[in-house]
Amino acid sequence: MPMPRTTAPNGKPIAAFAFTGYWLPVTIFSARFCMVLATAYTFSFAQPLWLAVGSLAVPMAYFAWKNLATLGAGRRVAAVALRVLVVLVLAAAMARPAMVQHNDALTLITVVDRSLSIPADQQAKGRNYVAAALKNHDSDDRLAVIDVADGAMIARLPGKIADATTAINERNTSLGGTQTRLSAGLQLGLAIAPPDTAVRMLLVSDGNETAGDVRETARIAAANGIPVDVLRLGYDYSNEVVFRNLVAPVRARSGQTIPLRFVLSSVGRTTGTINLTLRDDSGTEHEININPGGAGSGMPVTLVKGTNVFSVSVPVGVRGMHEFKARFTPAGDDQDSLPQNNSASAITFVAGPGHVIVADTDDKAGEKIAQAMKVAGIDVRRCNAHDFPDRLVDLMACDAVVLANVDCASLSMEQQEMLARYVTELGGGLVMTGGDSSFGAGGWIGSPVAQVLPVDLDPPQKKQMPKGALVLVIDHSGSMTGQKVECAKAAAAAAVRLLSTRDYLGVIAFDSEYSWVIPMAELTDKDAVYRKISDIGAGGGTDIFPALKAAYEAVKKTKAGVRHIILLTDGQSAGADCRSLAAQMGKDKITVSTVAIGDDADLNLLAAIAKSTGGRFYPVQNLKNLPQIFIKEAQIVRRSLIVEEKFTPKITFGASEIVRGVPEIPALDGYILTGRKGGTSQVILATPTADADPVLA
């Protein structure tokens, strides 16, 4: 039998021939691919010092080779090689390898100023200069053109340059040309910059920006690696006036007098007249007389070189959009070169007549405030805090809200959140006056309203002040299962929220026995307290005395100025011991307020405990009232924030409109302790002490 042929006709072995024939195209392709990568990309390490970690592979390989002597030769080599490979890969990964793509193509985004203030011959020179520069462009370069004046428009999207002489057309007639918003042009250029080429921006302008901030936009471009070149178009007007801006308030009330400011710039001394017109919602346009007692309705002005500012006050009429237009007319045609830039406009939204709501809880605290506002001609509407609006739409026509010694418990959480939105979203005013039921003493600490007040209701740690102590004694017997215990836990959390981080707090849960959920200590971590309160369950009998005695002994040991206990239960308990304990607590000036849930609670016993200690008794049928009761009771502890001493406040911010023109600040008999909030909040009056506690902010 003949042997199979092992050579090809050219004499090479068949196996070698087959190998070469198969791998040769692959090898050629791989070589070409590597050449393309080497040409288009650069391989580098962002943190090359980490490559030094790879040197650890040498000693590691040495010790691994010695320690793995029991393995076979093949397994030994594989194990050492794998470990070395892992070290090298980790070193390379920590060095942050990067492959950077090279691209020699450039996109030039040209922002052309099309405002009417630039003479036509200067605009033509700018176009010709750019066209001449583009003649030397590479074939892969691209060009984009953006026209800018009153706004910015794309005249040409990024694309290859076919004819440099027609790359930039003449003026875009769709732009008004009365304003120059260079920053808008650069911003649009950043938006259309292609990611696959290098990018430069060229600003062709006289540099006279009338709106926006081109410097800030240029800084943003630089931060994105896009340089901005400037081709300045220089020219000289012997006489030129530009109406830079008409400044008007965004909002006003019907019948209100608002200030308007005219901002003009001039290259020299010029005289003329400013005329003002108003267009309302009906489309009717009429001229406003801003020259009372003079000839004509226009205001005669004399402009000097540079910026000139003039102010007038005008009344606004019915509600709606009011568009003001101002125009400068020179005294002679030779005093101004371009009349197109001699006007400016502004819009003011005029709302209906507004009013101020003054809320209190006793119909007395807000009486004098309301009288003073009425004397000043302000429309005042008084209401009891319990009748305060509960819909944001009801405050739309309200200019401000005054809370005259209103405690936190008088407003629901929904009303508090609504009031905060009224300030932050609608720009409404909020005034909180001092009193024993306001600020921190009124339980506002941690509330939504506290976030929008200009003072910190929880005074700083360094402030020396009397501390308060509160113990919550909560029944969690079997009869409290379900909604009762859940409402009790929510009420307890609401009370904790009102306390300062320097107050003492303890929480006891009891059935037939008691346990400390929160041992008596300073309230340093409210979140931890909330979590532990939420874990309270229900089950067992009811025995009030041991729990109440433990609360008494704990609160008695504290060095607090105000010591208070809140007892909540729905069941019966032996009364003799509780009554004698209550009498002792009354002697020690420890108050106890009791909350009875339902008709099964021992109402007589709970009422007697509250009466003996000077506390309050609450028979509760509606569980939804529990949080408000606990909030009201927690305010007793915050009485330590009330400072009762006679003093005369000092002015700390005399530039405020509130105290400007006030000849003398009257003496006060006390204040509610608060802290400085910082930020944009400004303390206007403070105590004359070294701490300078806020009095008016």
Side-chain angles (χ1 to χ4, degrees):
M1 182 176 179
M3 296 291 292
R5 187 173 181 177
T6 59
T7 59
N10 58 4
K12 291 185 178 181
I14 291 178
F17 179 81
F19 177 84
T20 304
Y22 177 78
W23 285 103
L24 183 59
V26 176
T27 304
I28 295 174
F29 173 78
S30 300
R32 289 180 177 177
F33 180 73
C34 292
M35 291 177 64
V36 171
L37 284 180
T39 304
Y41 294 88
T42 298
F43 187 80
S44 62
F45 291 96
Q47 298 180 357
L49 292 179
W50 281 105
L51 293 175
V53 176
S55 62
L56 297 177
V58 176
M60 191 204 67
Y62 172 75
F63 289 109
W65 183 263
K66 292 183 63 178
N67 294 333
L68 299 176
T70 57
L71 297 178
R75 294 179 61 191
R76 189 180 183 187
V77 171
V80 173
L82 182 60
R83 297 184 183 188
V84 170
L85 180 62
V86 170
V87 172
L88 295 178
V89 170
L90 288 176
M94 288 188 293
R96 295 177 60 187
M99 186 175 289
V100 181
Q101 182 180 7
H102 294 283
N103 194 332
D104 294 331
L106 172 68
T107 297
L108 177 65
I109 301 176
T110 305
V111 180
V112 183
D113 186 350
R114 302 292 194 176
S115 58
L116 296 175
S117 61
I118 303 177
D121 60 331
Q122 291 297 319
Q123 293 190 10
K125 288 181 180 180
R127 293 196 304 271
N128 296 336
Y129 181 90
V130 175
L134 291 175
K135 290 181 179 179
N136 299 322
H137 71 277
D138 293 337
S139 58
D140 293 332
D141 290 344
R142 306 176 192 176
L143 174 69
V145 179
I146 295 175
D147 292 336
V148 60
D150 306 78
M153 295 183 62
I154 300 175
R156 175 192 175 108
L157 287 170
K160 292 188 177 181
I161 307 169
D163 185 359
T165 58
T166 60
I168 301 180
N169 298 323
E170 294 188 4
R171 184 178 179 276
N172 189 335
T173 56
S174 61
L175 293 173
T178 58
Q179 297 287 330
T180 306
R181 303 178 183 271
L182 301 180
S183 60
L186 294 186
Q187 290 170 0
L188 187 56
L190 291 174
I192 66 172
D196 57 343
T197 69
V199 178
R200 295 186 74 93
M201 298 180 72
L202 174 63
L203 177 61
V204 183
S205 172
D206 60 356
N208 292 324
E209 186 180 34
T210 60
D213 189 350
V214 69
R215 293 183 179 87
E216 179 61 26
T217 309
R219 282 191 285 268
I220 295 174
N224 286 274
I226 300 178
V228 179
D229 302 313
V230 178
L231 174 59
R232 184 179 180 275
L233 302 179
Y235 55 90
D236 182 28
Y237 284 129
S238 57
N239 293 298
E240 173 60 13
V241 176
V242 178
F243 210 127
R244 294 291 182 186
N245 200 6
L246 169 57
V247 182
V250 178
R251 294 185 178 185
R253 288 288 183 186
S254 179
Q256 182 181 354
T257 298
I258 63 173
L260 299 179
R261 283 191 300 147
F262 310 121
V263 183
L264 303 92
S265 62
S266 176
V267 298
R269 184 179 177 83
T270 306
T271 59
T273 305
I274 296 177
N275 294 91
L276 180 67
T277 59
L278 169 64
R279 180 192 296 270
D280 55 27
D281 266 353
S282 64
T284 304
E285 184 172 331
H286 62 275
E287 190 164 355
I288 299 176
N289 186 0
I290 55 176
N291 184 31
S297 59
M299 180 175 66
V301 294
T302 299
L303 307 181
V304 297
K305 183 178 180 180
T307 301
N308 300 260
V309 180
F310 304 94
S311 299
V312 296
S313 295
V314 298
V316 292
V318 297
R319 63 192 306 168
M321 298 297 295
H322 285 49
E323 182 181 6
F324 296 97
K325 290 185 178 180
R327 183 169 187 82
F328 172 77
T329 304
D333 294 338
D334 58 342
Q335 295 190 31
D336 186 36
S337 302
L338 295 172
Q340 295 91 339
N341 56 17
N342 287 2
S343 62
S345 62
I347 294 177
T348 298
F349 174 75
V350 179
H355 61 273
V356 175
I357 295 178
V358 177
D360 55 25
T361 56
D362 57 2
D363 297 327
K364 295 180 180 179
E367 183 176 357
K368 292 185 178 180
I369 297 175
Q371 289 177 354
M373 289 185 176
K374 289 179 180 179
V375 171
I378 299 175
D379 182 10
V380 180
R381 301 181 186 180
R382 297 189 60 190
C383 76
N384 191 284
H386 300 292
D387 300 323
F388 193 80
D390 54 7
R391 298 186 308 162
L392 188 60
V393 67
D394 295 332
L395 298 178
M396 292 287 288
C398 178
D399 288 329
V401 173
V402 179
L403 299 179
N405 199 27
V406 175
D407 61 294
C408 180
S410 297
L411 298 183
S412 67
M413 182 59 66
E414 291 76 15
Q415 288 175 313
Q416 295 177 35
E417 292 174 347
M418 175 198 68
L419 197 53
R421 290 180 56 200
Y422 166 71
V423 175
T424 58
E425 297 179 13
L426 298 184
L430 174 63
V431 178
M432 180 177 286
T433 66
D436 58 357
S437 296
S438 65
F439 298 104
W444 291 99
I445 295 176
S447 67
V449 173
Q451 299 176 10
V452 298
L453 291 177
V455 291
D456 185 0
L457 303 189
D458 196 354
Q461 294 278 357
K462 63 181 181 180
K463 182 70 180 178
Q464 296 297 321
M465 50 177 281
K467 298 181 179 181
L470 175 66
V471 181
L472 305 177
V473 183
I474 301 174
D475 182 355
H476 74 140
S477 59
S479 59
M480 289 285 291
T481 302
Q483 188 180 10
K484 288 183 180 180
V485 73
E486 294 302 321
C487 289
K489 291 191 290 186
V496 172
R497 177 173 57 83
L498 302 186
L499 300 182
S500 166
T501 54
R502 286 161 302 285
D503 291 326
Y504 293 100
L505 173 71
V507 180
I508 294 177
F510 74 94
D511 43 38
S512 55
E513 298 179 350
Y514 75 90
S515 62
W516 283 95
V517 179
I518 306 293
M520 195 69 182
E522 285 191 7
L523 182 57
T524 56
D525 188 353
K526 289 188 178 183
D527 291 334
V529 171
Y530 296 146
R531 288 193 296 269
K532 291 182 179 180
I533 289 176
S534 65
D535 292 336
I536 297 176
T542 304
D543 192 356
I544 297 175
F545 177 74
L548 188 59
K549 183 180 180 182
Y552 162 64
E553 292 175 347
V555 77
K556 183 180 178 181
K557 295 177 182 178
T558 63
K559 297 179 180 180
V562 179
R563 298 176 293 183
H564 188 54
I565 297 173
I566 303 176
L567 170 63
L568 180 145
T569 182
D570 71 339
Q572 302 281 335
S573 182
D577 293 337
C578 290
R579 293 175 189 271
S580 60
L581 179 61
Q584 183 60 44
M585 286 191 286
K587 294 179 181 179
D588 293 333
K589 296 183 179 180
I590 298 174
T591 56
V592 181
S593 290
T594 56
V595 182
I597 299 179
D599 297 329
D600 294 333
D602 193 335
L603 304 182
N604 293 330
L605 173 62
L606 296 177
I609 293 174
K611 183 177 181 180
S612 297
T613 61
R616 286 177 281 201
F617 169 60
Y618 299 92
V620 176
Q621 298 295 331
N622 188 349
L623 294 176
K624 293 182 179 179
N625 295 331
L626 279 182
Q628 295 301 99
I629 292 173
F630 270 58
I631 289 173
K632 184 176 182 179
E633 288 302 310
Q635 293 173 16
I636 295 176
V637 178
R638 304 309 310 132
R639 301 287 179 180
S640 58
L641 291 173
I642 300 176
V643 180
E644 294 183 286
E645 59 184 26
K646 196 174 185 66
F647 71 100
T648 300
K650 64 178 181 180
I651 298 177
T652 56
F653 185 59
S656 172
E657 293 285 347
I658 299 177
V659 295
R660 185 176 298 176
V662 177
E664 185 179 1
I665 304 298
L668 302 177
D669 294 326
Y671 64 100
I672 306 298
L673 191 61
T674 59
R676 294 174 180 264
K677 204 167 197 177
T680 58
S681 300
Q682 184 68 55
V683 175
I684 302 170
L685 295 179
T687 60
T689 60
D691 293 324
D693 298 323
V695 175
L696 175 65

